[in-house]
Amino acid sequence: MTDDQMDARLRRAGEAWRSATTPAAETDADDVHVLSPEPARRSRRGRHTGLLASAAVVAAAIVAGAAVLIVTVGGGDETNPSPGDTVGLEGTVWRLVGYGNDQRLPNSPATLHISGDGMLVADDSCRLIGARVDVNQGHLYGTQFQVRDYNCTDSAGEVTFDPDVFASAPSYSLDGAGLTITGAGKTMHLVASPGLPVPTLDRPTVTGATWRLVGVTDPSGTELPVSGEATFRIDNGTLHAGDTCNTLTGPAVLTGRELDTKDLAMTEIGCSNDVAPTAAVVDAVFSGTAQTELLGTRLTISRDAAGSLDYDWIPSDAVATDPANLTGRTWRLTAVAGDPVSDAVTLRVQPDGTTTGNDGCRDINASAEVGPGTLTVTGLPPADFPPTCNGDLAATVDSLLKQQPALWRISEEDLVINGPGAQGFALVYSTGDARPVLSPLLGSAWTLTTIETGTGPDAASQSVTGQLPLAVDQRLQFDDGCNAHTAEVTVGDATLDIGAVGGTQVRCVGPVPDQQHQILAVLDGRVSWRVVRDQLTITKEGVGALVYTKAGAGPRLVGTPWTLTSVQTDRSGSASGSGSSDSRVVLTLDGRGGYRLATGCHVYAGAAAISRSTVTFSDQRDLGGDDCLNTMAEQVVHLLDGPADWSIAHGQLTVTKGNATLTFRS
Amino acid sequence: METVAATVDAAEFADWTRPSLLPMTRLAKRLAPHADADDIVQEALARAWAKRHQFAADRGTPTTWLLAIVADRARSSRRSRIRRLRVVDDTADLPDAPARDAGVDVDLERAIESLTGRQQLAVQLHYFVGLTVDETAAVMACSPGTVKSTLYDARTRLRARLGDTDD
């Protein structure tokens, strides 16, 4: 049987099946009355529904059912989803309003969110809780718990999450817009609060966050220079820190503000004279019990007679906290602490720091320093508002903007600004810009990484010779490795219409002419474009595609989905291996001490302790999946156990364990 | 409708999803023949409602977006069933196999079940739900080229599988 014959057989089978399952009254679906005055119960048919049931009837029931669910999620309906139902639990921001029969606190800033992939984040003014949860049979089964403390001094009068409840495999039930979670002898009451931002674990806390060393002071009070990159991070009770020369790893116990880090292991690289004094202070601070002080995004760790270390917070999500996504847009306030805002409150921060807008009472004319995830606004006048305006709103806006620094992030296209405490106490702005906030084709510089030629079975990828930039603004500008080109361009939502291309006309040699030909063939006329994370793909139908990476973005070990491209094994000098450009095996390290490996068949998860050049995998669990076979994945699954060396170069991640080398592309 | 605003009401949402209901039901039946397709579609609609603000018109049509959610729900349903089967050694109460009866190419159906998850999804979307390659790519969040090569691999595997029993 040829491929064409197989194709024809599948088409016949598909047409026959569609014909057999298409009801005669299919078109009746258009006549369905969607919302009946009496809300219908969600349809729960027996599982023996006939395969050939009328699509129109099915459609009617489904739409009516969805309408009931919609009302349920929005609140106010009396439908009670069954305890095992997950409708609305995941993907909704829930506000904790109280326990048991205690008084409800409707404005509590404590929020809970469970993502579709099972990541639970609970946040209040004193604590940040993260876990993986399996939502099953009306219970929340949690693993990989992390409980991180904010620098709160007093939570009296506030309601906060009890980690023991989440750790007890609590039951839950949904009731209209309400959620009840019961476990460890307590019952939490929560309400759906769509105006609140989705809480994140990417916050400046002593544990579970990455800190960059920015200041070192020796015991005499002398400030020492910090050269090179040295970070500090504690995950699951294990410290990984650099001293600007060597790496320290070992157990770390944080009790209140006291950090106990003795008995650390350290690499033994000989340090040059210029970094040795700084490294000695870092080593001394981590050789016993030290004190931590967290103020905003600055962490200071000091130890008597050893010195003190200043660290600045590094957000894990570089895209959501990229200043380029905040600046140059006019943001309009939509909610404060979950309450919708109708006043015209705006904010615009220019790349040069000029900050304008309105706080609800008066115009803002200030300056701001924008860093990754941080915003330091100066020049706001004291709060003295005329009685004719909404002074409460303006005071809240000003107080959050005046934090030194305020924290910001882009969350689902919205700008969220809050302080270092409870994330629910936040300003949420949206932008009216037509261009997507997190897919900045315009105004960014891109570097070509891969040329894809052909389509279907004949598709092939080739790497690129030289640094070939591309930029799209008023015009399209690009380089083919030999010549620089420019062209008129009209940017659509997913297309570019490229006009006549002009440019230099240098004669090309070596492999460049082929490359030049392929680039010019793709960048011709109407093409489609797509930005995913830091990768831009421009496709010319029937010709091929060019894959660019955002210049300067560089893939990071943490947070980047790494796709396996090859597995090489070297035994006794004899190398063997397998490779694929589309292995479907994707490894992601989450920066919270965990990893996730999706093989296209199964999904695995486990712990990953990362240091400068090694990553130690452990606690691998099979999260289930389809019953299929992926031989490359089988090899990787077995290799992700124990320590392995890692490195990133030219957009590729290499993981080496024993005589095996795994290569991934970002 | 280009986007689904957070403020859209239930009736508008129902109108918006109505054209996709039949392909959604078809895909649910194909991917989770042992489950109740209606339940899967309902769960998918509820999820779509909760996540309606995440729909992006530049990444595909409403139908392809909704089908991607159905595929995800069907996968979960299949996992749940596997868990159930592990615990309860009694399949008598489980639904019958899909109605692959009259006029159904039984050998082909069996062979399709031997494909990898992504190959099955591509085959079901393209041949049985009746999507174009571009639409299939939008559901699977990959390029049309990848869909074509996945379908090619699937056909190759099916040919090998059916070689002994076929013409």
Side-chain angles (χ1 to χ4, degrees):
Chain A
M1 185 188 297
T2 66
D3 183 56
D4 285 344
Q5 288 171 325
M6 190 69 245
D7 179 70
R9 182 170 173 178
L10 281 162
R11 288 187 191 287
R12 282 197 304 274
E15 285 164 9
W17 186 83
R18 284 197 299 278
S19 174
T21 56
T22 300
E26 179 183 336
T27 53
D28 291 349
D30 291 338
D31 300 326
V32 171
H33 180 67
V34 174
L35 291 172
S36 59
E38 293 296 323
R41 284 276 162 188
R42 182 183 180 202
S43 170
R44 274 279 172 200
R45 289 176 189 76
R47 285 182 283 144
H48 292 273
T49 303
L51 178 70
L52 304 183
S54 158
V57 174
V58 171
I62 290 167
V63 173
V68 173
L69 296 174
I70 288 162
V71 175
T72 299
V73 173
D77 187 75
E78 295 179 353
T79 303
N80 293 312
S82 65
D85 209 319
T86 60
V87 172
L89 173 69
E90 294 154 294
T92 299
V93 178
W94 299 95
R95 187 200 295 268
L96 176 65
V97 293
Y99 283 82
N101 295 319
D102 294 348
Q103 182 185 358
R104 301 288 185 262
L105 298 174
N107 295 319
S108 155
T111 53
L112 168 74
H113 182 263
I114 300 174
S115 65
D117 63 354
M119 190 70 216
L120 177 147
V121 179
D123 175 276
D124 56 53
S125 54
C126 281
R127 205 174 284 128
L128 179 59
I129 301 168
R132 285 269 166 209
V133 290
D134 183 11
V135 181
N136 196 2
Q137 300 291 315
H139 285 261
L140 303 174
Y141 297 96
T143 55
Q144 299 180 42
F145 281 96
Q146 50 176 307
V147 180
R148 295 152 56 179
D149 291 327
Y150 289 135
N151 187 19
C152 80
T153 54
D154 184 12
S155 62
E158 295 186 19
V159 59
T160 57
F161 288 102
D162 183 342
D164 291 343
V165 174
F166 295 119
S168 65
S171 63
Y172 76 91
S173 65
L174 290 159
D175 181 7
L179 166 67
T180 303
I181 300 177
T182 303
K186 297 181 179 178
T187 299
M188 292 178 183
H189 297 285
L190 305 99
V191 293
S193 301
L196 286 168
V198 175
T200 172
L201 289 174
D202 195 7
R203 300 282 288 174
T205 50
V206 177
T207 61
T210 302
W211 297 89
R212 178 191 290 122
L213 185 65
V214 295
V216 175
T217 307
D218 72 10
S220 68
T222 305
E223 292 185 6
L224 303 177
V226 178
S227 59
E229 181 88 356
T231 58
F232 162 91
R233 185 178 175 97
I234 298 174
D235 279 313
N236 302 320
T238 301
L239 167 77
H240 298 277
D243 67 4
T244 71
C245 179
N246 281 289
T247 302
L248 301 89
T249 309
V253 178
L254 182 68
T255 309
R257 294 184 181 180
E258 208 170 78
L259 178 63
D260 192 347
T261 57
K262 55 193 173 193
D263 301 328
L264 300 180
M266 187 168 78
T267 55
E268 295 181 356
I269 298 171
C271 305
S272 60
N273 288 337
D274 55 336
V275 302
T278 302
V281 172
V282 177
D283 299 345
V285 169
F286 288 127
S287 62
T289 302
Q291 298 295 317
T292 65
E293 183 175 9
L294 181 57
L295 280 176
T297 55
R298 170 62 60 87
L299 171 65
T300 301
I301 303 175
S302 57
R303 183 162 178 257
D304 288 346
S308 73
L309 315 174
D310 289 329
Y311 289 90
D312 277 353
W313 173 59
I314 305 174
S316 297
D317 190 336
V319 176
T321 58
D322 182 348
N325 292 321
L326 164 65
T327 57
R329 301 172 190 277
T330 298
W331 297 93
R332 180 176 293 272
L333 189 66
T334 58
V336 174
D339 294 332
V341 172
S342 56
D343 302 52
V345 179
T346 58
L347 179 69
R348 184 178 180 89
V349 182
Q350 299 288 27
D352 68 359
T354 304
T355 302
T356 55
N358 187 284
D359 64 6
C361 272
R362 58 192 180 184
D363 289 340
I364 293 173
N365 284 295
S367 58
E369 186 179 330
V370 185
T374 62
L375 176 67
T376 307
V377 179
T378 53
L380 283 175
D384 182 15
F385 306 112
T388 53
C389 66
N390 188 342
D392 287 345
L393 172 63
T396 305
V397 171
D398 284 12
S399 69
L400 279 163
L401 292 179
K402 279 180 178 175
Q403 306 214 34
Q404 303 288 317
L407 304 181
W408 71 271
R409 63 186 292 108
I410 303 296
S411 175
E412 298 179 345
E413 300 288 291
D414 287 336
L415 167 64
V416 177
I417 296 179
N418 52 26
Q423 298 177 50
F425 190 62
L427 307 174
V428 179
Y429 293 85
S430 65
T431 177
D433 279 5
R435 60 186 171 123
V437 176
L438 293 179
S439 300
L441 168 66
L442 302 174
S444 291
W446 303 90
T447 304
L448 187 62
T449 56
T450 309
I451 298 173
E452 296 179 354
T453 55
T455 55
D458 299 326
S461 295
Q462 67 181 68
S463 55
V464 173
T465 303
Q467 288 278 321
L468 309 185
L470 175 142
V472 185
D473 212 324
Q474 300 299 316
R475 296 175 66 81
L476 170 69
Q477 300 171 65
F478 64 98
D479 198 307
D480 61 18
C482 188
N483 286 293
H485 304 276
T486 181
E488 297 284 345
V489 65
T490 304
V491 180
D493 284 346
T495 58
L496 297 175
D497 285 303
I498 301 170
V501 174
T504 57
Q505 295 184 351
V506 177
R507 184 168 171 272
C508 306
V509 295
V512 174
D514 276 350
Q515 181 174 282
Q516 178 191 38
H517 173 75
Q518 288 154 355
I519 292 171
L520 290 172
V522 172
L523 298 178
D524 179 34
R526 169 159 286 202
V527 298
S528 62
W529 68 270
R530 185 179 184 208
V531 173
V532 178
R533 291 180 178 267
D534 292 325
Q535 186 170 289
L536 163 67
T537 303
I538 298 177
T539 305
K540 176 77 173 178
E541 188 66 31
V543 176
L546 305 175
V547 181
Y548 290 85
T549 300
K550 195 173 181 181
R556 299 172 304 146
L557 177 63
V558 170
T560 301
W562 293 99
T563 301
L564 183 71
T565 55
S566 72
V567 179
Q568 295 288 333
T569 308
D570 188 351
R571 287 194 175 86
S572 307
S574 164
S576 63
S578 55
S580 166
S581 62
D582 187 17
S583 67
R584 306 191 311 279
V585 179
V586 179
L587 172 68
T588 308
L589 293 99
D590 61 18
R592 299 182 295 273
Y595 76 89
R596 197 170 177 85
L597 180 74
T599 69
C601 295
H602 275 224
V603 176
Y604 300 84
I610 303 167
S611 66
R612 190 161 56 183
S613 60
T614 63
V615 53
T616 303
F617 298 97
S618 60
D619 301 332
Q620 187 179 87
R621 292 174 299 114
D622 184 350
L623 301 182
D626 293 331
D627 299 323
C628 61
L629 182 65
N630 185 333
T631 50
M632 282 182 73
E634 296 293 314
Q635 293 174 273
V636 178
V637 169
H638 291 297
L639 287 169
L640 295 191
D641 182 26
D645 294 328
W646 70 272
S647 63
I648 295 174
H650 307 300
Q652 282 198 333
L653 166 66
T654 303
V655 176
T656 306
K657 181 164 187 273
N659 56 13
T661 300
L662 311 176
T663 307
F664 300 81
R665 63 174 167 77
S666 62
Chain B
M1 185 185 294
E2 289 301 306
T3 59
V4 189
T7 55
V8 70
D9 67 22
E12 290 171 325
F13 183 74
D15 285 343
W16 189 73
T17 57
R18 191 193 307 270
S20 308
L21 291 175
L22 187 57
M24 290 172 76
T25 309
R26 280 180 171 149
L27 183 61
K29 287 181 194 296
R30 293 298 307 182
L31 292 182
H34 296 279
D36 186 331
D38 302 352
D39 278 351
I40 289 173
V41 173
Q42 285 196 22
E43 285 183 24
L45 285 169
R47 278 185 177 251
W49 169 259
K51 300 181 177 190
R52 61 196 184 282
H53 59 285
Q54 293 179 7
F55 169 73
D58 60 337
R59 293 180 201 156
T61 65
T63 297
T64 59
W65 183 65
L66 290 164
L67 287 175
I69 300 174
V70 169
D72 182 60
R73 290 291 82 207
R75 198 161 39 229
S76 299
S77 164
R78 189 175 169 194
R79 267 193 224 119
S80 301
R81 178 174 180 272
I82 290 170
R83 276 201 293 268
R84 242 185 1 252
L85 290 175
R86 282 176 186 154
V87 176
V88 183
D89 186 21
D90 176 13
T91 57
D93 190 39
L94 291 173
D96 299 332
R100 292 170 180 173
D101 40 22
V104 169
D105 189 337
V106 176
D107 291 338
L108 180 62
E109 294 285 1
R110 283 205 186 117
I112 289 171
E113 288 174 4
S114 72
L115 299 175
T116 68
R118 281 186 73 76
Q119 287 173 346
Q120 280 195 41
L121 182 58
V123 166
Q124 303 291 13
L125 288 167
H126 183 59
Y127 290 108
F128 288 87
V129 179
L131 301 189
T132 65
V133 167
D134 284 353
E135 289 168 337
T136 302
V139 176
M140 297 177 67
C142 62
S143 69
T146 301
V147 170
K148 288 178 186 172
S149 58
T150 303
L151 289 172
Y152 178 80
D153 292 343
R155 289 194 299 269
T156 302
R157 196 158 170 168
L158 289 173
R159 286 161 56 200
R161 183 93 179 178
L162 295 167
D164 296 337
T165 61
D166 217 57
D167 50 359

